[in-house]
Amino acid sequence: MKKITQRTVPLLLAAGMGLAAATAWSAESLQDVLKRRSLSQQDLLAAAKTYVPTGKRDEFVAFSSGGQSGQIIVYGIPSMRILKYIGVFTPEPWQGYGFDENSKAVLAQGKIDGKDITWGDTHHPAISETNGEYDGQFLFINDKANPRLAVIDLRDFETKQIVVNPIYKSEHGGAFVTTNTEYVIEAAQYPAPLENKKFQPLEEMNDKFRGGVTYWKFDRKEGRIVPKESFSLELPPYWQDLSDAGKGPSEGWSFTNSFCSERYVGGIEKGRPPYEAGCSAKDTDYLHVINWKKAAEIVKQGKAKKINGHDVLPIDVAVKEGILFLIPEPKSPHGVDVTPDGTKIIVSGKLDTHTSVYSFEKIQAAIKAGKFESKDPYGIPVIGMKDALHTQVQLGLGPLHTQYDSKPCTAYTSLYVDSQVAKWDFCEGKVLDKISVHYNIGHLMTMEGDSAKPAGRFLVALNKLAIDRFVPVGPLHPQNHQLIDIANDKMQLLYDMPLPLGEPHYVVAIDAKKLKPGVRYKVGTDSRTDKPHPGAVRAGEEVTTRKGNKVEVKGTLIRSHITPETIDVEVGDEVTIHLTNLERAQDETHGFTVSTYNVHASIEPGKTVTVKFKADKEGVYPYYCTEFCSALHLEMMGYLLVKPKGWKPTKTEMAKANYTEADYKATLKKVADTQAVIDSVVGYITSVNFKDFPDVVAMVEDATDQLSKIPEAKAKHEAAAAKKDWEQANLWAEQIWQYQVKTADLGLRAKTYLEQNGAKKVK
Ligand code: K7E
Ligand code: CUA
């Protein structure tokens, strides 16, 4: 269509067309847009299913592993808009994660043998469950490269704890939670000696190398893993992969698949066939079937042995106690997924076209009857595949992971080689539908699709390759998460989302209504411990103290200043700055940094954070608020003065600006005019039921705070005026206006909020 320019409008009018016609020309119709962008009716339908208009919110929230970034990516479904990155195993500057002392303490929990590990390979996030259903309280995720597990509290979306696995050198199968999040399951991947820093030759793989599965005890009240009450099960050096916990009838049991049960050792440079040949030679590997409830009891009875100070249940004990069994599973499988009702267990072999559905009832019957086809080389009873299978279904090439629908017996399995998703019935054993994805899908995820109560609706395909889907950005491509509508019989591809932060292996999505994050902290909270921060102060209590060469500042932040506004130290001093954000209003975050000292903090309302550094360079270093928090955000700053030792001032007064009485009067008038605006806003707010709106109450509290400071400034400007010190008089009057501006800003926000949220008049 021709663009309407300033030139063409008069022309159209001159041609006798009225204003209405000109308007019709200037606004494209839906049909015009479809044509111009070559969009089909299918595209339009997809757009309507995903588009979330301004002001509206997503129905589901997804937590995606951030892969090599060591972080978590939070996005909305169906809009696929990214909402947040959560720093987990790696520093995340925006949130100050790794740049303030409180978060550094969390990252330091992830040190291994005293060494900082500043990257992570996150794979599997898991949301805490109650009765097998997502409860939206906590999130867990693992680091495959450096065997670690992290706890994120969904009240503030912050990482609270990192635990290092005491016996593995790598782990893949975490995190998976038991039905009531009693334990978080984490399985090893590549076998290694369990004893820390112990060398064993590869020739002794079978005897000296081990795998395992760890059950991390989770204390829901504290919101932390309790390492002392956690334990592991020693497993053969099969390459344990993913796990899933039983539920319903299978509650108390857990299942861990494995591959390379050949225990093959490669070494192509020594003339041996490579790992990939030796690790896929057999037709089957082993599904590990474990009674974790009984295992926990046996550990309590003291039957575990300590390895690296951690309780490990040896294989022979587990066998004797009847808590560990194996079942053959075809062929190099990846992942194991318990059905929502807990009656079946689905495993797919990457190198087999079949997906196997095991029956928990049959497994239990075999165990009860003592019906085993053999023992593995470690004496573990092996249940015959045909004695445990419910059915096997031919789905396609390279089946990997399975997720469930809200509809009974309906599952979705990713087909890596075929680049497809198969929808199938696992009760009847038949394929229902297939859809192509781009390209090479790994995991897939349906809404709450690994819980006891899947929500259906949407599926996300996590594709390993993006190839030609996006505008090229160099040889390293973003990942492609594809949103698929699964509400109907036929699946429909809706949307491609590039994810540019690493390879997300797995995602979980929860009904947005189940998340109830806070908007502020109780004033003075250390968000990383959830405890009162010892460095917190309230307004008026700010203080700087010195002990030897240690300078400690307890300061506050509130629009638009940092208290204190100068920090005086001597070169070589150790400086600790605690800052409390005194705001109550939603979203009034302040940031804090000091030039060139590599510190940064994000201080949300109520939070207290500490930054610490050695002032080892003489000089003048501005510090400032890093969030644009108010009209006077740029003024929210101060100076760190690092003086040479023994430095003495020669000048004792600041430069003056020669303000006059007229300036003072003009400022007073501005103050009076602004007060009129405030009064009218206050008049409106108090005329409606603002007390029914907690967000508004918080804003009103903040505004009242600002106003309460006015009398002190008023006394100061009047005293200065009496002494005809027009500079001081004018500037203290000006400060009143600053308080008013902040008050008015809050008041207007409150008013808008009330108007938009249907506040009612009160008499
Ligand atoms: Cu990439 Cu679950 Cu680690 Cu499969 S994982 S594809
Ligand atoms: Cu506080 Cu900008």
Side-chain angles (χ1 to χ4, degrees):
M1 162 168 317
K2 240 211 282 168
K3 230 177 130 197
I4 310 289
T5 63
Q6 274 179 322
R7 269 238 222 100
T8 52
V9 171
L11 280 176
L12 289 170
L13 291 173
M17 298 178 72
L19 192 61
T23 311
W25 265 95
S26 60
E28 276 183 306
S29 74
L30 182 57
Q31 288 308 320
D32 294 334
V33 177
L34 294 183
K35 204 168 147 210
R36 177 168 57 79
R37 301 194 63 210
S38 314
L39 298 176
S40 66
Q41 288 294 325
Q42 264 310 85
D43 294 332
L44 190 60
L45 186 61
K49 285 180 181 181
T50 56
Y51 178 63
V52 176
T54 181
K56 296 248 165 73
R57 295 182 188 175
D58 281 300
E59 292 166 65
F60 296 94
V61 176
F63 296 92
S64 172
S65 113
Q68 298 89 335
S69 73
Q71 302 183 3
I72 283 179
I73 306 161
V74 186
Y75 62 81
I77 292 176
S79 78
M80 308 300 268
R81 297 182 297 198
I82 292 178
L83 301 169
K84 196 172 211 173
Y85 297 129
I86 305 175
V88 183
F89 296 109
T90 54
E92 201 292 311
W94 171 43
Q95 292 151 57
Y97 191 61
F99 302 91
D100 70 58
E101 293 302 305
N102 311 86
S103 62
K104 274 189 198 164
V106 176
L107 279 166
Q109 296 168 14
K111 286 188 184 197
I112 297 183
D113 301 329
K115 275 204 211 113
D116 280 324
I117 307 226
T118 53
W119 93 286
D121 187 13
T122 55
H123 275 243
H124 305 102
I127 293 174
S128 57
E129 294 179 8
T130 300
N131 297 324
E133 294 180 33
Y134 288 1
D135 56 34
Q137 292 179 7
F138 296 95
L139 183 68
F140 308 93
I141 194 159
N142 70 317
D143 171 6
K144 171 173 169 171
N146 322 289
R148 301 182 292 178
L149 197 87
V151 180
I152 294 130
D153 192 330
L154 292 176
R155 283 178 307 180
D156 60 1
F157 286 49
E158 282 200 352
T159 303
K160 305 286 180 173
Q161 184 185 25
I162 297 174
V163 289
V164 177
N165 192 289
I167 54 172
Y168 306 147
K169 292 291 172 288
S170 68
E171 66 95 332
H172 185 215
F176 299 91
V177 300
T178 55
T179 322
N180 284 296
T181 323
E182 299 94 337
Y183 290 94
V184 186
I185 306 174
E186 179 192 39
Q189 178 113 87
Y190 306 119
L194 299 183
E195 294 77 20
N196 239 336
K197 287 180 264 180
K198 178 125 187 171
F199 171 77
Q200 298 287 0
L202 287 170
E203 285 75 7
E204 298 199 45
M205 166 73 71
N206 294 354
D207 299 329
K208 303 283 170 62
F209 285 52
R210 285 292 177 270
V213 58
T214 300
Y215 298 85
W216 289 107
K217 178 79 189 147
F218 185 63
D219 180 337
R220 190 186 283 265
K221 226 179 102 235
E222 290 293 315
R224 300 292 185 278
I225 282 169
V226 191
K228 276 203 318 256
E229 293 174 31
S230 306
F231 66 94
S232 299
L233 207 63
E234 176 197 24
L235 293 176
Y238 312 144
W239 300 13
Q240 281 81 32
D241 192 42
L242 308 193
S243 303
D244 202 1
K247 46 192 144 210
S250 55
E251 164 144 37
W253 292 73
S254 69
F255 310 92
T256 303
N257 81 290
S258 66
F259 56 98
C260 203
S261 59
E262 293 86 350
R263 298 172 291 164
Y264 182 71
V265 179
I268 193 161
E269 65 293 332
K270 295 175 183 160
R272 287 176 63 78
Y275 276 104
E276 56 204 275
C279 276
S280 54
K282 282 197 332 184
D283 279 341
T284 54
D285 291 286
Y286 286 124
L287 176 65
H288 302 67
V289 177
I290 298 161
N291 185 337
W292 65 257
K293 255 199 186 144
K294 198 161 167 200
E297 282 164 23
I298 290 165
V299 171
K300 275 216 186 93
Q301 293 162 16
K303 292 186 185 159
K305 65 176 180 191
K306 292 272 183 201
I307 300 181
N308 309 327
H310 170 75
D311 278 326
V312 181
L313 211 51
I315 295 175
D316 56 346
V317 178
V319 170
K320 206 173 99 212
E321 299 285 346
I323 57 170
L324 173 62
F325 307 92
L326 300 173
I327 311 175
E329 50 178 12
K331 169 176 186 174
S332 293
H334 189 31
V336 46
D337 298 281
V338 176
T339 56
D341 65 1
T343 61
K344 298 176 187 68
I345 300 122
I346 295 180
V347 177
S348 304
K350 300 191 287 278
L351 305 177
D352 189 63
T353 54
H354 291 91
T355 288
S356 304
V357 184
Y358 295 90
S359 154
F360 184 72
E361 207 183 313
K362 286 189 179 176
I363 293 171
Q364 287 306 307
I367 291 172
K368 233 190 200 147
K371 192 172 178 219
F372 304 112
E373 67 172 23
S374 62
K375 285 190 170 183
D376 87 332
Y378 300 87
I380 306 171
V382 179
I383 301 167
M385 197 148 89
K386 55 178 192 326
D387 294 327
L389 273 180
H390 165 71
T391 182
Q392 280 189 312
V393 190
Q394 181 137 12
L395 291 183
L397 297 180
L400 293 182
H401 299 289
T402 295
Q403 288 266 296
Y404 300 99
D405 202 335
S406 51
K407 296 166 203 140
C409 296
T410 310
Y412 300 85
T413 297
S414 51
L415 304 173
Y416 177 83
V417 178
D418 276 338
S419 290
Q420 285 186 319
V421 171
K423 174 181 180 177
W424 57 291
D425 183 319
F426 58 81
C427 300
E428 304 277 314
K430 60 172 191 246
V431 176
L432 303 171
D433 187 26
K434 279 192 188 184
I435 190 168
S436 292
V437 292
H438 311 279
Y439 301 88
N440 296 90
I441 179 173
H443 275 272
L444 76 184
M445 180 265 302
T446 54
M447 305 303 98
E448 305 195 0
D450 59 13
S451 75
K453 212 170 167 207
R457 301 286 306 282
F458 299 104
L459 179 150
V460 176
L462 282 69
N463 305 325
K464 295 298 179 192
L465 303 181
I467 305 184
D468 56 8
R469 290 294 102 179
F470 306 113
V471 174
V473 288
L476 179 63
H477 292 251
Q479 298 283 314
N480 185 7
H481 283 199
Q482 288 190 301
L483 183 69
I484 294 167
D485 180 1
I486 55 166
N488 308 294
D489 291 341
K490 291 290 294 173
M491 293 180 274
Q492 186 198 355
L493 183 59
L494 298 179
Y495 193 76
D496 285 16
M497 175 173 69
L499 267 186
L501 201 74
E503 182 193 335
H505 292 264
Y506 185 43
V507 187
V508 285
I510 182 171
D511 186 334
K513 289 195 293 293
K514 289 188 183 175
L515 294 173
K516 304 221 161 36
V519 296
R520 69 185 70 80
Y521 295 97
K522 195 164 171 235
V523 177
T525 302
D526 173 347
S527 68
R528 301 291 170 176
T529 60
D530 302 322
K531 305 228 158 75
H533 191 301
V537 286
R538 298 196 172 250
E541 296 172 352
E542 297 90 349
V543 64
T544 300
T545 50
R546 168 184 286 280
K547 257 197 209 129
N549 71 335
K550 291 189 170 58
V551 176
E552 188 175 17
V553 179
K554 293 180 176 169
T556 59
L557 304 161
I558 193 157
R559 277 157 292 172
S560 312
H561 61 262
I562 302 169
T563 309
E565 293 190 334
T566 39
I567 299 174
D568 294 271
V569 304
E570 270 190 357
V571 87
D573 281 349
E574 211 176 82
V575 184
T576 306
I577 306 171
H578 314 285
L579 291 168
T580 302
N581 182 343
L582 299 174
E583 313 272 358
R584 271 157 289 207
Q586 185 165 345
D587 205 9
E588 273 307 332
T589 295
H590 301 290
F592 181 79
T593 186
V594 183
S595 166
T596 71
Y597 277 102
N598 198 36
V599 291
H600 183 241
S602 169
I603 311 122
E604 297 89 55
K607 202 191 229 184
T608 302
V609 175
T610 301
V611 297
K612 197 172 170 181
F613 54 90
K614 194 170 167 134
D616 52 4
K617 307 169 292 176
E618 160 190 337
V620 174
Y621 302 93
Y623 52 83
Y624 68 93
C625 168
T626 62
E627 287 266 345
F628 206 113
C629 53
S630 59
L632 288 150
H633 149 77
L634 294 173
E635 287 80 352
M636 192 165 177
M637 63 83 66
Y639 283 108
L640 167 74
L641 305 170
V642 185
K643 300 169 187 171
K645 284 222 165 24
W647 181 86
K648 290 259 160 14
T650 47
K651 217 169 160 189
T652 51
E653 268 191 59
M654 300 285 175
K656 288 224 178 214
N658 291 325
Y659 290 106
T660 62
E661 184 173 8
D663 295 326
Y664 175 53
K665 291 251 163 77
T667 304
L668 288 183
K669 166 134 192 346
K670 185 167 75 176
V671 165
D673 292 348
T674 309
Q675 193 56 45
V677 175
I678 293 174
D679 291 344
S680 91
V681 174
V682 169
Y684 167 79
I685 292 172
T686 51
S687 75
V688 299
N689 58 335
F690 78 95
K691 288 190 180 143
D692 297 339
F693 300 87
D695 281 319
V696 173
V697 171
M699 285 187 251
V700 168
E701 281 175 358
D702 275 4
T704 312
D705 245 19
Q706 295 286 341
L707 286 174
S708 72
K709 294 176 187 158
I710 288 179
E712 196 188 330
K714 186 160 184 270
K716 283 180 181 164
H717 77 67
E718 285 170 355
K723 285 191 265 170
K724 298 196 189 309
D725 181 344
W726 302 122
E727 161 140 337
Q728 287 282 312
N730 183 46
L731 293 181
W732 281 116
E734 196 65 51
Q735 181 55 32
I736 293 181
W737 190 63
Q738 299 306 339
Y739 293 137
Q740 289 178 319
V741 167
K742 286 174 247 174
T743 305
D745 174 37
L746 281 160
L748 290 169
R749 267 171 54 191
K751 182 167 178 260
T752 310
Y753 186 102
L754 290 166
E755 285 165 354
Q756 286 176 354
N757 289 280
K760 288 193 199 69
K761 284 268 166 215
V762 289
K763 271 150 269 155

